[in-house]
Amino acid sequence: MSNEKNQAQQPTQEQQLPELLRIRREKLSELQSAGMDPFVQTRYTVTHHSAQVKENFDALEGQQVSVAGRLMSKRGMGKAVFADLQDAQGRIQLYVRIDDVGEEQLARFIKYDIGDIVGVEGEAFRTKRGEISVKAKTITLLSKSLLPLPEKFHGLQDRELRYRQRYVDLIVNPEVRRAFEVRSKFIKHVRDFLDGRGYMEVETPVLNTISGGATARPFITHHNTLDIDMYMRIATELPLKRLIVGGMERVYELGRIFRNEGMDPKHNPEFTTVELYQAYADFNDMMDLFEDLLTSAAQKILGTYEVEWQGEKLNLAPGWPRLPMHEAVKQYTGIDFMAISSDEEAVAAAKAIGVELPETADKTWGNALYEVFDQRVEEKLIQPTFITMHPVDVSPLAKRSPKDPRLTERFELFICHSEMGNAFSELNDPIDQRGRFQKQVELRAKGDDEAGMMDEDFLTALEYGMPPTGGLGIGIDRCVMMLTNSDTIRDVILFPTMKPLDK
């Protein structure tokens, strides 16, 4: 008896809900009891979207249309109600009048909540105030919103909450959709651009038995059947170059990369790249291709070469400067690394301007040059600039320069002090490659968990012979950030990685 009494005293789940949520559930219960459960609806015929009705109104005026979407506002509670319906293309006004829908249907509609999803059949017409609308004849509740949308005038303002609940963000802040429309167009442009130049799109493994193709900390998982640890890919480079060895002369892959690194406005643990490789080409060909790709994207998607990003006005018109790293360092810091012959002197020159080499880095001329560029020059590069001829020490997969074996035929494109892509004349000497892999192994042994591993199978592939090859990797997310003037990578990734709320 006491158990029954205790159970009776316990509030039900419905009673524990906040008042607004409880009312919405009660409305759903009433509909279900009346045999009008909205969740049994399986489909609805949509003949037009909001923008189509507006753009083609002259032809549609007085015609029957069927639209569907989410109720975003309602005005009036008498014999006529105005409402705004939001669909994939925008909003359109609904005019619901008792003479057209009947007393019973109007009464039901008045009880519908903001956020409910409805289908409306009616007539395209223009109100006395000149607003294109749909005069409703039949209204069907297609889904009941059990949670209220954020308050109308403030919307969803908390940026972190917007990223966690992108679905709500898209509902109440429809302007954010533009960034993802541009992203979709850019990805399509990349594919069309490369397909049109004879490249073949391929897919390579996401899970690998070793981590390679870049210097980055990998995510590690475990394969139960094989009882081995595996690494989520940090790059697609090595599998794609195997295909070049196999005779596929132009290949590319567009997909997700995973790096177990920090999160900031330019980095997300999973991101999207396109990597491409072309036999019988070098890094100069890759510069031409990259410039052509981005300039054509700006024209096709935005209709202009003039863009704004991170508070800077950028000009993406073709003809971007190509500047060797040592020349950029000399221009911005005054240090002439080409006049320095010893490692000790190079490290001292870096230290003189406050640049320290990482503990795990060897104290070499090449590492000193790179750190000076990275810490003192990169932030000053605003307009599109190709930085070429990177040191061998930081380029384990790039071909050495015939003019100076300390340097490689490598470039990175910087726009608004952000790296947009990385490219090489690919190293195809298996003996040199083994030595550079060994250097990465030694760095890993010293505690550098971003260093690469020895890839014996890739070395075997090179020993069969790889033609001179140009390779290029492009960060899709940063390109979209630039094209949409977004100041954080989270604004261009639909579902960015977020710290769990309980951490």
Side-chain angles (χ1 to χ4, degrees), residues 156-193:
L156 191 62
Q157 298 295 325
D158 185 316
R159 293 194 76 170
E160 182 168 319
L161 185 59
R162 287 175 53 202
Y163 302 140
R164 291 183 186 279
Q165 297 185 343
R166 182 68 81 185
Y167 42 91
V168 182
D169 188 27
L170 289 167
I171 294 170
V172 300
N173 297 318
E175 68 278 2
V176 305
R177 180 194 300 265
R178 179 183 175 274
F180 301 107
E181 290 172 346
V182 170
R183 183 188 182 99
S184 178
K185 290 176 181 178
F186 181 68
I187 290 173
K188 183 180 185 302
H189 177 75
V190 169
R191 283 196 166 101
D192 291 345
F193 182 94

mmCIF file of all heavy atoms in Angstrom, residues 156-193:
data_model
loop_
_atom_site.group_PDB
_atom_site.id
_atom_site.type_symbol
_atom_site.label_atom_id
_atom_site.label_comp_id
_atom_site.label_asym_id
_atom_site.label_seq_id
_atom_site.Cartn_x
_atom_site.Cartn_y
_atom_site.Cartn_z
ATOM 1 N N LEU A 156 18.612 32.546 -32.363
ATOM 2 C CA LEU A 156 19.602 31.725 -31.675
ATOM 3 C C LEU A 156 20.932 32.453 -31.774
ATOM 4 O O LEU A 156 21.637 32.378 -32.774
ATOM 5 C CB LEU A 156 19.682 30.341 -32.352
ATOM 6 C CG LEU A 156 20.479 29.259 -31.624
ATOM 7 C CD1 LEU A 156 19.854 28.962 -30.267
ATOM 8 C CD2 LEU A 156 20.534 27.989 -32.460
ATOM 9 N N GLN A 157 21.291 33.167 -30.707
ATOM 10 C CA GLN A 157 22.456 34.042 -30.743
ATOM 11 C C GLN A 157 23.707 33.377 -30.183
ATOM 12 O O GLN A 157 24.819 33.699 -30.601
ATOM 13 C CB GLN A 157 22.168 35.325 -29.954
ATOM 14 C CG GLN A 157 21.022 36.142 -30.525
ATOM 15 C CD GLN A 157 21.325 36.679 -31.906
ATOM 16 O OE1 GLN A 157 22.448 37.021 -32.223
ATOM 17 N NE2 GLN A 157 20.311 36.748 -32.755
ATOM 18 N N ASP A 158 23.569 32.477 -29.213
ATOM 19 C CA ASP A 158 24.704 31.804 -28.600
ATOM 20 C C ASP A 158 25.428 30.982 -29.668
ATOM 21 O O ASP A 158 24.897 29.997 -30.168
ATOM 22 C CB ASP A 158 24.200 30.906 -27.464
ATOM 23 C CG ASP A 158 25.351 30.266 -26.687
ATOM 24 O OD1 ASP A 158 26.305 29.793 -27.331
ATOM 25 O OD2 ASP A 158 25.276 30.228 -25.451
ATOM 26 N N ARG A 159 26.663 31.390 -30.033
ATOM 27 C CA ARG A 159 27.353 30.744 -31.147
ATOM 28 C C ARG A 159 27.615 29.277 -30.855
ATOM 29 O O ARG A 159 27.493 28.428 -31.735
ATOM 30 C CB ARG A 159 28.665 31.470 -31.450
ATOM 31 C CG ARG A 159 28.451 32.875 -31.979
ATOM 32 C CD ARG A 159 29.715 33.447 -32.578
ATOM 33 N NE ARG A 159 29.986 32.886 -33.896
ATOM 34 C CZ ARG A 159 30.924 33.361 -34.705
ATOM 35 N NH1 ARG A 159 31.673 34.384 -34.327
ATOM 36 N NH2 ARG A 159 31.132 32.819 -35.884
ATOM 37 N N GLU A 160 28.011 28.959 -29.633
ATOM 38 C CA GLU A 160 28.278 27.559 -29.314
ATOM 39 C C GLU A 160 27.016 26.727 -29.436
ATOM 40 O O GLU A 160 27.044 25.615 -29.970
ATOM 41 C CB GLU A 160 28.861 27.440 -27.900
ATOM 42 C CG GLU A 160 29.193 25.994 -27.551
ATOM 43 C CD GLU A 160 30.031 25.873 -26.292
ATOM 44 O OE1 GLU A 160 30.941 26.685 -26.104
ATOM 45 O OE2 GLU A 160 29.761 24.948 -25.515
ATOM 46 N N LEU A 161 25.884 27.259 -28.962
ATOM 47 C CA LEU A 161 24.622 26.531 -29.077
ATOM 48 C C LEU A 161 24.218 26.385 -30.538
ATOM 49 O O LEU A 161 23.661 25.362 -30.945
ATOM 50 C CB LEU A 161 23.526 27.251 -28.279
ATOM 51 C CG LEU A 161 22.170 26.536 -28.217
ATOM 52 C CD1 LEU A 161 22.320 25.156 -27.603
ATOM 53 C CD2 LEU A 161 21.175 27.365 -27.399
ATOM 54 N N ARG A 162 24.513 27.399 -31.347
ATOM 55 C CA ARG A 162 24.206 27.316 -32.780
ATOM 56 C C ARG A 162 24.949 26.158 -33.433
ATOM 57 O O ARG A 162 24.401 25.440 -34.269
ATOM 58 C CB ARG A 162 24.576 28.628 -33.475
ATOM 59 C CG ARG A 162 23.655 29.787 -33.172
ATOM 60 C CD ARG A 162 24.178 31.052 -33.818
ATOM 61 N NE ARG A 162 24.407 30.845 -35.240
ATOM 62 C CZ ARG A 162 25.228 31.583 -35.982
ATOM 63 N NH1 ARG A 162 25.911 32.565 -35.420
ATOM 64 N NH2 ARG A 162 25.364 31.337 -37.263
ATOM 65 N N TYR A 163 26.218 25.958 -33.048
ATOM 66 C CA TYR A 163 26.985 24.864 -33.628
ATOM 67 C C TYR A 163 26.499 23.512 -33.115
ATOM 68 O O TYR A 163 26.497 22.522 -33.855
ATOM 69 C CB TYR A 163 28.477 25.031 -33.307
ATOM 70 C CG TYR A 163 29.075 26.326 -33.794
ATOM 71 C CD1 TYR A 163 29.989 27.030 -33.029
ATOM 72 C CD2 TYR A 163 28.718 26.862 -35.034
ATOM 73 C CE1 TYR A 163 30.542 28.219 -33.472
ATOM 74 C CE2 TYR A 163 29.258 28.050 -35.480
ATOM 75 C CZ TYR A 163 30.175 28.725 -34.688
ATOM 76 O OH TYR A 163 30.710 29.911 -35.138
ATOM 77 N N ARG A 164 26.103 23.465 -31.838
ATOM 78 C CA ARG A 164 25.613 22.210 -31.277
ATOM 79 C C ARG A 164 24.258 21.832 -31.857
ATOM 80 O O ARG A 164 23.967 20.644 -32.058
ATOM 81 C CB ARG A 164 25.489 22.316 -29.748
ATOM 82 C CG ARG A 164 26.810 22.414 -29.025
ATOM 83 C CD ARG A 164 26.606 22.432 -27.518
ATOM 84 N NE ARG A 164 27.860 22.655 -26.827
ATOM 85 C CZ ARG A 164 28.768 21.715 -26.568
ATOM 86 N NH1 ARG A 164 28.514 20.463 -26.939
ATOM 87 N NH2 ARG A 164 29.888 21.998 -25.941
ATOM 88 N N GLN A 165 23.418 22.815 -32.097
ATOM 89 C CA GLN A 165 22.071 22.574 -32.618
ATOM 90 C C GLN A 165 21.929 23.271 -33.971
ATOM 91 O O GLN A 165 21.150 24.193 -34.142
ATOM 92 C CB GLN A 165 21.017 23.083 -31.630
ATOM 93 C CG GLN A 165 21.046 22.366 -30.297
ATOM 94 C CD GLN A 165 19.909 22.809 -29.384
ATOM 95 O OE1 GLN A 165 19.269 23.842 -29.575
ATOM 96 N NE2 GLN A 165 19.650 22.010 -28.365
ATOM 97 N N ARG A 166 22.712 22.796 -34.942
ATOM 98 C CA ARG A 166 22.702 23.425 -36.260
ATOM 99 C C ARG A 166 21.305 23.389 -36.871
ATOM 100 O O ARG A 166 20.922 24.294 -37.626
ATOM 101 C CB ARG A 166 23.694 22.721 -37.177
ATOM 102 C CG ARG A 166 23.784 23.343 -38.554
ATOM 103 C CD ARG A 166 24.423 24.739 -38.507
ATOM 104 N NE ARG A 166 25.870 24.636 -38.451
ATOM 105 C CZ ARG A 166 26.664 25.692 -38.305
ATOM 106 N NH1 ARG A 166 26.158 26.911 -38.181
ATOM 107 N NH2 ARG A 166 27.986 25.538 -38.269
ATOM 108 N N TYR A 167 20.529 22.369 -36.548
ATOM 109 C CA TYR A 167 19.174 22.265 -37.082
ATOM 110 C C TYR A 167 18.317 23.444 -36.650
ATOM 111 O O TYR A 167 17.529 23.983 -37.446
ATOM 112 C CB TYR A 167 18.524 20.933 -36.655
ATOM 113 C CG TYR A 167 18.793 20.540 -35.219
ATOM 114 C CD1 TYR A 167 17.938 20.912 -34.192
ATOM 115 C CD2 TYR A 167 19.934 19.808 -34.889
ATOM 116 C CE1 TYR A 167 18.184 20.563 -32.881
ATOM 117 C CE2 TYR A 167 20.199 19.447 -33.582
ATOM 118 C CZ TYR A 167 19.318 19.828 -32.571
ATOM 119 O OH TYR A 167 19.584 19.488 -31.264
ATOM 120 N N VAL A 168 18.465 23.893 -35.405
ATOM 121 C CA VAL A 168 17.724 25.073 -34.944
ATOM 122 C C VAL A 168 18.311 26.334 -35.572
ATOM 123 O O VAL A 168 17.581 27.236 -35.975
ATOM 124 C CB VAL A 168 17.749 25.172 -33.405
ATOM 125 C CG1 VAL A 168 16.927 26.378 -32.936
ATOM 126 C CG2 VAL A 168 17.195 23.898 -32.772
ATOM 127 N N ASP A 169 19.633 26.375 -35.664
ATOM 128 C CA ASP A 169 20.307 27.514 -36.283
ATOM 129 C C ASP A 169 19.788 27.748 -37.696
ATOM 130 O O ASP A 169 19.502 28.886 -38.096
ATOM 131 C CB ASP A 169 21.814 27.235 -36.302
ATOM 132 C CG ASP A 169 22.642 28.423 -36.756
ATOM 133 O OD1 ASP A 169 22.185 29.573 -36.582
ATOM 134 O OD2 ASP A 169 23.753 28.209 -37.266
ATOM 135 N N LEU A 170 19.639 26.686 -38.460
ATOM 136 C CA LEU A 170 19.166 26.811 -39.841
ATOM 137 C C LEU A 170 17.706 27.265 -39.905
ATOM 138 O O LEU A 170 17.307 27.943 -40.848
ATOM 139 C CB LEU A 170 19.327 25.469 -40.566
ATOM 140 C CG LEU A 170 20.771 25.061 -40.877
ATOM 141 C CD1 LEU A 170 20.835 23.597 -41.291
ATOM 142 C CD2 LEU A 170 21.363 25.949 -41.964
ATOM 143 N N ILE A 171 16.921 26.898 -38.897
ATOM 144 C CA ILE A 171 15.512 27.297 -38.876
ATOM 145 C C ILE A 171 15.377 28.794 -38.589
ATOM 146 O O ILE A 171 14.706 29.531 -39.313
ATOM 147 C CB ILE A 171 14.716 26.496 -37.823
ATOM 148 C CG1 ILE A 171 14.639 25.018 -38.208
ATOM 149 C CG2 ILE A 171 13.294 27.071 -37.674
ATOM 150 C CD1 ILE A 171 14.088 24.141 -37.093
ATOM 151 N N VAL A 172 16.032 29.245 -37.521
ATOM 152 C CA VAL A 172 15.791 30.612 -37.052
ATOM 153 C C VAL A 172 16.784 31.622 -37.612
ATOM 154 O O VAL A 172 16.544 32.826 -37.538
ATOM 155 C CB VAL A 172 15.779 30.676 -35.508
ATOM 156 C CG1 VAL A 172 14.680 29.790 -34.954
ATOM 157 C CG2 VAL A 172 17.124 30.280 -34.933
ATOM 158 N N ASN A 173 17.895 31.157 -38.145
ATOM 159 C CA ASN A 173 18.862 32.046 -38.785
ATOM 160 C C ASN A 173 19.096 31.568 -40.216
ATOM 161 O O ASN A 173 20.182 31.060 -40.552
ATOM 162 C CB ASN A 173 20.198 32.049 -38.022
ATOM 163 C CG ASN A 173 20.060 32.584 -36.603
ATOM 164 O OD1 ASN A 173 19.372 33.564 -36.366
ATOM 165 N ND2 ASN A 173 20.715 31.934 -35.662
ATOM 166 N N PRO A 174 18.106 31.674 -41.071
ATOM 167 C CA PRO A 174 18.223 31.093 -42.414
ATOM 168 C C PRO A 174 19.377 31.646 -43.239
ATOM 169 O O PRO A 174 19.805 31.006 -44.196
ATOM 170 C CB PRO A 174 16.870 31.416 -43.059
ATOM 171 C CG PRO A 174 16.287 32.536 -42.261
ATOM 172 C CD PRO A 174 16.803 32.338 -40.868
ATOM 173 N N GLU A 175 19.931 32.814 -42.856
ATOM 174 C CA GLU A 175 21.038 33.365 -43.622
ATOM 175 C C GLU A 175 22.293 32.495 -43.518
ATOM 176 O O GLU A 175 23.179 32.575 -44.381
ATOM 177 C CB GLU A 175 21.351 34.793 -43.158
ATOM 178 C CG GLU A 175 21.918 34.918 -41.759
ATOM 179 C CD GLU A 175 20.865 34.896 -40.662
ATOM 180 O OE1 GLU A 175 19.666 34.751 -40.992
ATOM 181 O OE2 GLU A 175 21.236 35.045 -39.485
ATOM 182 N N VAL A 176 22.387 31.656 -42.467
ATOM 183 C CA VAL A 176 23.581 30.804 -42.344
ATOM 184 C C VAL A 176 23.606 29.743 -43.438
ATOM 185 O O VAL A 176 24.658 29.161 -43.720
ATOM 186 C CB VAL A 176 23.662 30.130 -40.958
ATOM 187 C CG1 VAL A 176 23.605 31.155 -39.848
ATOM 188 C CG2 VAL A 176 22.597 29.068 -40.785
ATOM 189 N N ARG A 177 22.452 29.482 -44.036
ATOM 190 C CA ARG A 177 22.391 28.485 -45.105
ATOM 191 C C ARG A 177 23.306 28.865 -46.274
ATOM 192 O O ARG A 177 23.831 27.995 -46.968
ATOM 193 C CB ARG A 177 20.943 28.358 -45.596
ATOM 194 C CG ARG A 177 20.749 27.349 -46.721
ATOM 195 C CD ARG A 177 19.396 27.540 -47.367
ATOM 196 N NE ARG A 177 18.324 27.358 -46.419
ATOM 197 C CZ ARG A 177 17.675 26.201 -46.249
ATOM 198 N NH1 ARG A 177 17.992 25.170 -46.982
ATOM 199 N NH2 ARG A 177 16.705 26.100 -45.372
ATOM 200 N N ARG A 178 23.500 30.169 -46.489
ATOM 201 C CA ARG A 178 24.280 30.613 -47.643
ATOM 202 C C ARG A 178 25.681 30.018 -47.630
ATOM 203 O O ARG A 178 26.210 29.618 -48.676
ATOM 204 C CB ARG A 178 24.369 32.138 -47.679
ATOM 205 C CG ARG A 178 25.212 32.653 -48.857
ATOM 206 C CD ARG A 178 25.370 34.159 -48.869
ATOM 207 N NE ARG A 178 26.264 34.583 -49.938
ATOM 208 C CZ ARG A 178 27.592 34.638 -49.820
ATOM 209 N NH1 ARG A 178 28.162 34.298 -48.667
ATOM 210 N NH2 ARG A 178 28.339 35.022 -50.837
ATOM 211 N N ALA A 179 26.320 29.974 -46.461
ATOM 212 C CA ALA A 179 27.680 29.440 -46.391
ATOM 213 C C ALA A 179 27.721 28.000 -46.888
ATOM 214 O O ALA A 179 28.654 27.596 -47.586
ATOM 215 C CB ALA A 179 28.206 29.514 -44.961
ATOM 216 N N PHE A 180 26.693 27.233 -46.569
ATOM 217 C CA PHE A 180 26.696 25.830 -46.962
ATOM 218 C C PHE A 180 26.268 25.654 -48.414
ATOM 219 O O PHE A 180 26.659 24.683 -49.068
ATOM 220 C CB PHE A 180 25.823 25.038 -45.989
ATOM 221 C CG PHE A 180 26.318 25.173 -44.574
ATOM 222 C CD1 PHE A 180 25.632 25.944 -43.651
ATOM 223 C CD2 PHE A 180 27.521 24.601 -44.198
ATOM 224 C CE1 PHE A 180 26.118 26.107 -42.364
ATOM 225 C CE2 PHE A 180 28.018 24.759 -42.920
ATOM 226 C CZ PHE A 180 27.316 25.514 -42.002
ATOM 227 N N GLU A 181 25.509 26.611 -48.924
ATOM 228 C CA GLU A 181 25.214 26.599 -50.363
ATOM 229 C C GLU A 181 26.487 26.899 -51.154
ATOM 230 O O GLU A 181 26.766 26.256 -52.168
ATOM 231 C CB GLU A 181 24.122 27.627 -50.678
ATOM 232 C CG GLU A 181 22.753 27.234 -50.138
ATOM 233 C CD GLU A 181 21.731 28.347 -50.288
ATOM 234 O OE1 GLU A 181 22.135 29.505 -50.557
ATOM 235 O OE2 GLU A 181 20.520 28.067 -50.139
ATOM 236 N N VAL A 182 27.274 27.882 -50.663
ATOM 237 C CA VAL A 182 28.550 28.193 -51.317
ATOM 238 C C VAL A 182 29.497 27.003 -51.221
ATOM 239 O O VAL A 182 30.190 26.657 -52.177
ATOM 240 C CB VAL A 182 29.195 29.447 -50.693
ATOM 241 C CG1 VAL A 182 30.626 29.632 -51.185
ATOM 242 C CG2 VAL A 182 28.361 30.690 -51.019
ATOM 243 N N ARG A 183 29.509 26.355 -50.073
ATOM 244 C CA ARG A 183 30.365 25.164 -49.902
ATOM 245 C C ARG A 183 30.009 24.095 -50.925
ATOM 246 O O ARG A 183 30.885 23.517 -51.562
ATOM 247 C CB ARG A 183 30.209 24.615 -48.482
ATOM 248 C CG ARG A 183 31.111 23.425 -48.201
ATOM 249 C CD ARG A 183 30.812 22.766 -46.861
ATOM 250 N NE ARG A 183 31.740 21.681 -46.651
ATOM 251 C CZ ARG A 183 32.837 21.758 -45.915
ATOM 252 N NH1 ARG A 183 33.144 22.879 -45.299
ATOM 253 N NH2 ARG A 183 33.642 20.712 -45.792
ATOM 254 N N SER A 184 28.717 23.825 -51.071
ATOM 255 C CA SER A 184 28.276 22.817 -52.036
ATOM 256 C C SER A 184 28.676 23.204 -53.459
ATOM 257 O O SER A 184 29.159 22.366 -54.232
ATOM 258 C CB SER A 184 26.755 22.643 -51.937
ATOM 259 O OG SER A 184 26.292 21.703 -52.878
ATOM 260 N N LYS A 185 28.510 24.484 -53.786
ATOM 261 C CA LYS A 185 28.876 24.947 -55.129
ATOM 262 C C LYS A 185 30.382 24.852 -55.350
ATOM 263 O O LYS A 185 30.836 24.513 -56.450
ATOM 264 C CB LYS A 185 28.400 26.391 -55.332
ATOM 265 C CG LYS A 185 26.893 26.537 -55.438
ATOM 266 C CD LYS A 185 26.486 28.002 -55.551
ATOM 267 C CE LYS A 185 24.978 28.153 -55.624
ATOM 268 N NZ LYS A 185 24.567 29.584 -55.689
ATOM 269 N N PHE A 186 31.152 25.158 -54.311
ATOM 270 C CA PHE A 186 32.608 25.099 -54.455
ATOM 271 C C PHE A 186 33.074 23.661 -54.673
ATOM 272 O O PHE A 186 33.922 23.387 -55.533
ATOM 273 C CB PHE A 186 33.296 25.695 -53.236
ATOM 274 C CG PHE A 186 34.796 25.683 -53.334
ATOM 275 C CD1 PHE A 186 35.452 26.479 -54.256
ATOM 276 C CD2 PHE A 186 35.550 24.854 -52.519
ATOM 277 C CE1 PHE A 186 36.837 26.462 -54.370
ATOM 278 C CE2 PHE A 186 36.934 24.825 -52.616
ATOM 279 C CZ PHE A 186 37.576 25.635 -53.544
ATOM 280 N N ILE A 187 32.527 22.735 -53.917
ATOM 281 C CA ILE A 187 32.904 21.327 -54.077
ATOM 282 C C ILE A 187 32.526 20.836 -55.471
ATOM 283 O O ILE A 187 33.298 20.125 -56.130
ATOM 284 C CB ILE A 187 32.246 20.470 -52.981
ATOM 285 C CG1 ILE A 187 32.905 20.780 -51.622
ATOM 286 C CG2 ILE A 187 32.364 18.979 -53.298
ATOM 287 C CD1 ILE A 187 32.242 20.116 -50.445
ATOM 288 N N LYS A 188 31.341 21.231 -55.946
ATOM 289 C CA LYS A 188 30.946 20.856 -57.310
ATOM 290 C C LYS A 188 31.897 21.472 -58.328
ATOM 291 O O LYS A 188 32.282 20.819 -59.318
ATOM 292 C CB LYS A 188 29.517 21.302 -57.589
ATOM 293 C CG LYS A 188 28.996 20.889 -58.969
ATOM 294 C CD LYS A 188 27.564 21.350 -59.196
ATOM 295 C CE LYS A 188 27.026 20.813 -60.519
ATOM 296 N NZ LYS A 188 27.840 21.218 -61.677
ATOM 297 N N HIS A 189 32.288 22.720 -58.079
ATOM 298 C CA HIS A 189 33.218 23.391 -59.000
ATOM 299 C C HIS A 189 34.555 22.660 -59.039
ATOM 300 O O HIS A 189 35.145 22.487 -60.119
ATOM 301 C CB HIS A 189 33.430 24.838 -58.563
ATOM 302 C CG HIS A 189 34.410 25.582 -59.410
ATOM 303 N ND1 HIS A 189 34.122 26.030 -60.681
ATOM 304 C CD2 HIS A 189 35.710 25.941 -59.179
ATOM 305 C CE1 HIS A 189 35.186 26.632 -61.191
ATOM 306 N NE2 HIS A 189 36.159 26.591 -60.303
ATOM 307 N N VAL A 190 35.045 22.235 -57.880
ATOM 308 C CA VAL A 190 36.315 21.505 -57.829
ATOM 309 C C VAL A 190 36.224 20.242 -58.674
ATOM 310 O O VAL A 190 37.123 19.935 -59.470
ATOM 311 C CB VAL A 190 36.687 21.162 -56.371
ATOM 312 C CG1 VAL A 190 37.857 20.176 -56.323
ATOM 313 C CG2 VAL A 190 37.042 22.427 -55.594
ATOM 314 N N ARG A 191 35.139 19.501 -58.501
ATOM 315 C CA ARG A 191 34.979 18.261 -59.267
ATOM 316 C C ARG A 191 34.887 18.549 -60.767
ATOM 317 O O ARG A 191 35.547 17.897 -61.587
ATOM 318 C CB ARG A 191 33.729 17.511 -58.799
ATOM 319 C CG ARG A 191 33.913 16.759 -57.484
ATOM 320 C CD ARG A 191 32.799 15.746 -57.269
ATOM 321 N NE ARG A 191 33.156 14.818 -56.210
ATOM 322 C CZ ARG A 191 32.713 14.875 -54.959
ATOM 323 N NH1 ARG A 191 31.882 15.849 -54.616
ATOM 324 N NH2 ARG A 191 33.093 13.989 -54.065
ATOM 325 N N ASP A 192 34.058 19.522 -61.127
ATOM 326 C CA ASP A 192 33.908 19.852 -62.555
ATOM 327 C C ASP A 192 35.238 20.318 -63.142
ATOM 328 O O ASP A 192 35.600 19.952 -64.268
ATOM 329 C CB ASP A 192 32.854 20.956 -62.727
ATOM 330 C CG ASP A 192 31.441 20.480 -62.407
ATOM 331 O OD1 ASP A 192 31.228 19.249 -62.339
ATOM 332 O OD2 ASP A 192 30.562 21.335 -62.214
ATOM 333 N N PHE A 193 35.968 21.128 -62.386
ATOM 334 C CA PHE A 193 37.248 21.671 -62.827
ATOM 335 C C PHE A 193 38.238 20.548 -63.116
ATOM 336 O O PHE A 193 38.886 20.520 -64.172
ATOM 337 C CB PHE A 193 37.780 22.619 -61.750
ATOM 338 C CG PHE A 193 39.078 23.294 -62.081
ATOM 339 C CD1 PHE A 193 39.099 24.549 -62.660
ATOM 340 C CD2 PHE A 193 40.289 22.680 -61.789
ATOM 341 C CE1 PHE A 193 40.304 25.185 -62.945
ATOM 342 C CE2 PHE A 193 41.486 23.300 -62.069
ATOM 343 C CZ PHE A 193 41.500 24.559 -62.654
#
